[in-house]
Amino acid sequence: MSRILVTGGAGFIGSHLTDAFIAAGHEVCVVDNLYSGFRHQVNSSARFIEMDIADRAIETIFLDFRPEVVVHQAAQMDVRKSVSDPMFDAKVNILGSINLLESCRKYEVRKVLFASTGGAIYGEQDYFPADENHPLRPVSPYGICKATVEKYLFYYHTVYGLSYISLRYGNIYGPKQNPHGEAGVIAIFAKKLLAGAQPVINGDGLQTRDYTFVGDVVKANLLALNHQGSGVFNVGTGHETTVNELFHLINSGLGTGANEVHAETKAGEQRRSVLSSAKIKSEMGWAPSTTLKDGLPETLRWFSETYRS
């Protein structure tokens, strides 16, 4: 069993990971500044420290807890926020990550699992689905930051021997997703519909994403924890769903009967995004087991119990 430090462990994906690591018998410490996470989502068996990953005092956590593995989920993950304030985005996502990696180096952490992005890092794709060899052409500061941290991980691995796995996530959805500000479209649509408000679809709604259930992401991280070697791996379903299709699935699933309403296209919004998971299947045996048809009802049940007015 390992001592695992989970950054962003009070958030959506991080809290699911914390639960899974503890269930597997690992000792877990969560660090989160609660900017978008919630204290009540942190497993009661985990240590919790409220701190920003960019705080130089993060070193005290490494000195005390002595993590063997760092699972780095904390991020400024709002693409639009990254466009409006790229300096803040870089401070959190690049400088905060370097701050962590310096402590990993000093305190001999064995491995880092990094939450990267499989959509924003590739930009507009040349082929579908994109594999890990696809050119990186991020068109947002958020995507640029994720690509930059991957380069830093390679540097720390090459120079200091720090093992790492960078998991390039698709569009993750599931219970406990925060529908405010930085959330994915499923959380935003569900919250609005449950409140009796009208969701708005940007542009023609034919833009596609690879919607991946959070439970499958947890399984990928558990496999990566024990994987020998370092590198980058997509975590996606290989299936595209349009925003229009998604809206009707959510609207029908909640029984809300809202109309389909469109607005202007958002400048710079990616048209299509879908990921190949062939590499992680070949090297770790991972494959998505939850289709949107199965994962969406479970997600909507959670939103109905939490937000229905």
Side-chain angles (χ1 to χ4, degrees):
M1 297 299 102
S2 300
R3 290 186 304 279
I4 303 175
L5 177 65
V6 180
T7 72
F12 167 42
I13 300 172
S15 62
H16 281 282
L17 289 174
T18 298
D19 290 343
F21 292 144
I22 288 172
H26 300 289
E27 184 180 356
V28 179
C29 178
V30 166
V31 59
D32 198 301
N33 66 359
L34 300 182
Y35 178 78
S36 59
F38 300 96
R39 179 67 180 86
H40 70 266
Q41 292 188 158
V42 179
N43 191 298
S44 60
S45 295
R47 298 193 202 183
F48 175 72
I49 298 170
E50 185 176 347
M51 186 181 291
D52 195 293
I53 59 169
D55 192 327
R56 296 297 292 271
I58 203 84
E59 183 176 344
T60 61
I61 299 174
F62 284 79
L63 181 62
D64 176 54
F65 184 62
R66 295 285 177 168
E68 299 164 90
V69 178
V70 171
V71 179
H72 183 22
Q73 303 291 311
Q76 189 301 109
M77 53 188 176
D78 187 337
V79 173
R80 293 176 190 171
K81 173 71 172 176
S82 80
V83 172
S84 64
D85 194 350
M87 290 186 68
F88 175 72
D89 189 75
K91 178 183 176 182
V92 175
N93 290 340
I94 297 178
L95 297 183
S97 296
I98 295 172
N99 193 39
L100 283 170
L101 290 173
E102 275 295 284
S103 285
C104 288
R105 173 184 65 82
K106 290 175 68 175
Y107 294 95
E108 300 181 335
V109 168
R110 173 170 54 86
K111 173 180 269 186
V112 174
L113 304 187
F114 174 57
S116 189
T117 171
I121 206 167
Y122 296 123
E124 292 297 345
Q125 294 178 208
D126 294 334
Y127 53 88
F128 306 87
D131 58 24
E132 292 83 357
N133 293 319
H134 191 285
L136 305 187
R137 291 194 294 261
V139 291
S140 67
Y142 170 76
I144 292 168
C145 285
K146 290 294 188 181
T148 300
V149 174
E150 286 192 354
K151 296 297 185 184
Y152 272 102
L153 285 165
F154 178 78
Y155 161 72
Y156 277 85
H157 171 64
T158 303
V159 176
Y160 301 111
L162 176 63
S163 295
Y164 76 94
I165 298 290
S166 180
L167 297 174
R168 294 175 176 171
Y169 296 157
N171 283 60
I172 312 305
Y173 72 97
K176 299 201 286 187
Q177 190 167 20
N178 185 347
H180 304 290
E182 61 193 35
V185 66
I186 290 176
I188 293 171
F189 280 2
K191 174 68 162 53
K192 283 182 176 290
L193 288 168
L194 287 167
Q198 176 64 59
V200 176
I201 299 170
N202 297 331
D204 61 12
L206 298 179
Q207 55 270 48
T208 67
R209 297 293 182 267
D210 188 331
Y211 295 102
T212 308
F213 188 62
V214 67
D216 285 330
V217 172
V218 169
K219 293 173 186 175
N221 276 270
L222 288 170
L223 289 168
L225 190 64
N226 297 311
H227 181 68
Q228 300 300 311
S230 297
V232 298
F233 296 86
N234 287 340
V235 179
T237 68
H239 297 286
E240 296 176 83
T241 303
T242 69
V243 177
N244 289 339
E245 291 174 308
L246 189 67
F247 170 78
H248 287 291
L249 286 170
I250 297 171
N251 198 20
S252 174
L254 293 174
T256 42
N259 295 320
E260 180 182 316
V261 175
H262 293 258
E264 292 184 5
T265 301
K266 293 291 184 181
E269 184 172 10
Q270 193 169 332
R271 189 63 174 171
R272 293 176 66 188
S273 176
V274 59
L275 306 176
S276 168
S277 59
K279 181 181 177 183
I280 193 171
K281 181 178 182 179
S282 173
E283 296 193 23
M284 298 188 206
W286 181 90
S289 60
T290 307
T291 65
L292 190 62
K293 179 181 178 181
D294 294 327
L296 191 57
E298 181 177 340
T299 303
L300 296 181
R301 279 194 296 273
W302 182 86
F303 274 94
S304 293
E305 292 168 0
T306 307
Y307 291 105
R308 189 178 289 277
S309 58

